[in-house]
Amino acid sequence: MIRRPPRSTLFPYTTLFRSVIEGAQTVTVTLYGQVKQFPAKIIGTDALKDIALVQVEGAGHALPTVRFGNSKAAQQGDGVLAIGNALALAGGPTVTEGIVSALNRSLIATTDNGTSENLTGLIQTDAPINPGNSGGPLVNSSGLVVAMNTAVATSSQGNAPAQNVGFAIAVDEIRAIVAQILQHAGLS
């Protein structure tokens, strides 16, 4: 079970892709709209799902929080927003709109460094997910995070390129991974 703090307290952890911090000697976090960098400690990782849990140190009340939804309640056709930093363009975060196109998708994704990952239990969305949106939340119409944006289809078997076929790791799976990482680290 993951401890969820009351809304008035801050949870000093954040999830991101393990591949982002792989091999890092130090990890820092910069919050949107700020220039100050906060040190972060790697609590643990899940190599199979490419998830890392880090603890942001010294951010105090500046650390924003999100509310998790229930990804098992997601249905095909539900409206969603993909939030991220598409293409690392100046001007701040981006938001794209779409629907849940399919549930429980599986795929083999190729990373930028050429390795492959077998991803299962994914939520498929037609909300555009671009480089820089990966790791950002997929939010339902109630503003609750239902998944974490992770992959995008780039072509369809040599036919015309795929358009707006994105995939996200269900938040229920992320919760289970975070609970395992916290338990392994002796923090649960």
Side-chain angles (χ1 to χ4, degrees), residues 90-186:
T94 59
V95 177
T96 57
E97 178 184 25
I99 62 167
V100 171
S101 304
L103 299 165
N104 204 27
R105 291 286 199 208
S106 297
L107 61 94
I108 297 174
T110 304
T111 64
D112 290 340
N113 66 8
T115 61
S116 294
E117 298 172 334
N118 186 21
L119 301 173
T120 60
L122 301 173
I123 294 176
Q124 180 181 328
T125 181
D126 71 344
I129 297 175
N130 297 294
N133 285 11
S134 260
L138 188 68
V139 180
N140 68 15
S141 59
S142 297
L144 303 174
V145 176
V146 293
M148 184 167 74
N149 304 323
T150 189
V152 61
T154 56
S155 68
S156 55
Q157 305 290 329
N159 297 329
Q163 294 181 1
N164 299 341
V165 180
F167 303 92
I169 301 170
V171 77
D172 294 341
E173 186 164 359
I174 293 170
R175 270 191 258 223
I177 291 168
V178 167
Q180 290 171 356
I181 290 171
L182 287 170
Q183 182 176 15
H184 187 263

Side-chain angles (χ1 to χ4, degrees), residues 24 30 39-40 43-44 51 71 79 91 96 107 143 151 177 187:
T30 305
I43 302 299
I51 300 288
S71 54
T96 57
L107 61 94
I177 291 168
L187 298 172

Side-chain angles (χ1 to χ4, degrees), residues 3-12 60-61 63-66:
R3 291 184 207 158
R4 291 183 60 191
R7 293 182 73 188
S8 61
T9 63
L10 297 173
F11 198 51
H61 293 286
L63 189 62
T65 59
V66 296

Side-chain angles (χ1 to χ4, degrees), residues 27-40 56 59 62-64:
V27 177
T28 58
V29 173
T30 305
L31 303 177
Y32 171 69
Q34 297 186 19
V35 293
K36 181 179 179 183
Q37 294 184 335
F38 297 97
V56 181
L63 189 62

